[in-house]
Amino acid sequence: PVPEAVPEPAAEPKAAPAAKPVPRLTAGKTPGVLTDDHLAEAGRKVLRFHLARMVAREAGTRQGRDNEELHGMRVATRRQRAAWRVFGVAFDQKRTARHQRRLKEVARDLGAVRDLDVLIEAGVDYQKTLPSADRPAFEPLLAKWRAQRDAARVVLIKELDSDRYQRWVDEYIAFVQAEGIGVGSVGPVDPHRVRDTMPSRIWAAYEGVRAYEPVMRWADVTTLHDLRIAAKWLRYTLEFVREALGPESAPVIERVVALQDHLGWLHDADVAAGLARGFLVEHAGDLSEEESAAIGRYLVDRE
């Protein structure tokens, strides 16, 4: 008999080239900005510091057990957006626009959840001050905010789970750890060091706050909110280079933080009052007399 031909062994499939490993993100206890740093590299230090904090808070944000995890992640995105505003001029905009755009989108999704967390926490604290018999009447407003918060969390988690988010984070980590990448060109005598460029930026941010002095006596809530934003930019600009400024900067930053916090409480109360009013109008036919009265009292309290 003719022996059967033994088939040739199948060729081993070629392994796909290994993906280039993303450098491990590391950051110290402070950004470590020095007076002689190039403005872009000072910005990179600040971005790296707060990106590390953002990534560290991601797991806790996903779990949703502690609201402070999401709050910390949102704060880290805010600091990075502020850093791009302060240091962005030193970078090539075409090479960094995507990082800024994606950061804004992630911050938006985090903010949608965090803003409702703040409303709910303040609402629960107010509810605890009511007599026990009156507390259930306040519950419909809290239930509406909780439902909105849960829906916003679904959107956020979907974003964090997406491939595009992970690709961006990997690319962003590589960017903040690669000195010289994306830096705009400067001439030999163009100001580019922290010591030569940050003083004017600090003064400009300070002037933005001082400009509100003439209208403070008559300022409405909207104007006060604008002042809060101006104070926030002054605070961040100082904080980013506090090591270069020295210990004398600490009392100044402390005063700006106090101003920003107080204006923030005013803004939160105004938002809560507006949402309570809208809820009362929207559900006028659905609420009992007791519920309308309880939510109405909360509206007056916030105002």
Side-chain angles (χ1 to χ4, degrees):
V2 179
E4 294 182 4
V6 178
E8 292 288 333
E12 291 289 335
K14 291 184 178 180
K20 188 176 181 180
V22 177
R24 186 170 178 267
L25 184 61
T26 58
K29 294 183 179 180
T30 62
V33 173
L34 305 176
T35 56
D36 285 326
D37 283 344
H38 189 293
L39 186 65
E41 298 311 323
R44 201 185 308 273
K45 287 181 178 180
V46 174
L47 291 168
R48 181 168 62 244
F49 178 79
H50 292 293
L51 177 58
R53 291 189 164 193
M54 185 190 94
V55 172
R57 295 282 193 168
E58 187 178 316
T61 297
R62 290 173 181 276
Q63 293 170 358
R65 297 193 187 100
D66 183 355
N67 292 345
E68 286 305 308
E69 292 293 317
L70 185 144
H71 175 52
M73 189 173 181
R74 186 198 190 189
V75 168
T77 61
R78 278 185 163 181
R79 296 292 199 281
Q80 290 172 77
R81 294 189 66 198
W84 279 112
R85 172 170 171 164
V86 173
F87 302 102
V89 68
F91 290 95
D92 183 335
Q93 292 302 304
K94 291 183 179 179
R95 302 185 65 179
T96 59
R98 178 170 176 267
H99 294 315
Q100 298 181 56
R101 183 179 66 253
R102 291 291 293 121
L103 192 61
K104 181 179 179 180
E105 293 168 354
V106 173
R108 178 197 60 208
D109 291 340
L110 288 164
V113 181
R114 177 58 188 171
D115 289 346
L116 286 159
D117 278 342
V118 172
L119 281 168
I120 293 167
E121 289 169 5
V124 169
D125 288 342
Y126 171 82
Q127 188 183 41
K128 291 177 180 177
T129 67
L130 301 176
S132 299
D134 295 340
R135 292 175 188 176
F138 186 66
E139 193 60 33
L141 181 61
L142 293 177
K144 173 68 176 294
W145 288 347
R146 290 189 181 108
Q148 291 176 333
R149 190 262 314 274
D150 292 344
R153 269 195 61 83
V154 170
V155 173
L156 171 63
I157 299 305
K158 183 178 180 180
E159 169 62 23
L160 297 182
D161 286 342
S162 67
D163 290 338
R164 72 167 189 161
Y165 172 79
Q166 192 56 59
R167 285 195 303 269
W168 167 66
V169 170
D170 290 344
E171 293 171 7
Y172 196 18
I173 290 174
F175 169 78
V176 300
Q177 300 203 105
E179 185 173 344
I181 297 297
V183 177
S185 60
V186 294
V189 294
D190 291 336
H192 62 275
R193 297 180 301 176
V194 166
R195 68 167 67 248
D196 302 324
T197 56
M198 285 306 297
S200 60
R201 286 168 168 76
I202 293 171
W203 278 117
Y206 175 70
E207 290 167 1
V209 173
R210 292 286 300 182
Y212 285 83
E213 184 183 16
V215 301
M216 281 301 297
R217 187 184 299 272
W218 306 279
D220 58 10
V221 174
T222 301
T223 302
L224 293 174
H225 178 57
D226 291 340
L227 172 59
R228 177 196 180 193
I229 294 173
K232 177 176 67 176
W233 291 124
L234 174 58
R235 171 190 177 178
Y236 291 166
T237 304
L238 290 166
E239 286 181 340
F240 291 156
V241 294
R242 67 185 306 162
E243 290 167 290
L245 288 171
E248 296 87 352
S249 64
V252 181
I253 294 172
E254 183 179 340
R255 295 296 295 273
V256 179
V257 170
L259 171 63
Q260 182 188 350
D261 286 347
H262 188 80
L263 292 167
W265 297 330
L266 288 172
H267 176 68
D268 291 347
D270 181 58
V271 169
L275 291 174
R277 183 181 295 106
F279 182 83
L280 287 169
V281 172
E282 181 181 355
H283 297 277
D286 307 327
L287 299 173
S288 67
E289 184 176 343
E290 292 78 9
E291 290 169 339
S292 294
I295 297 170
R297 286 193 293 270
Y298 177 69
L299 163 60
V300 173
D301 179 83
R302 297 297 94 174
E303 289 182 332

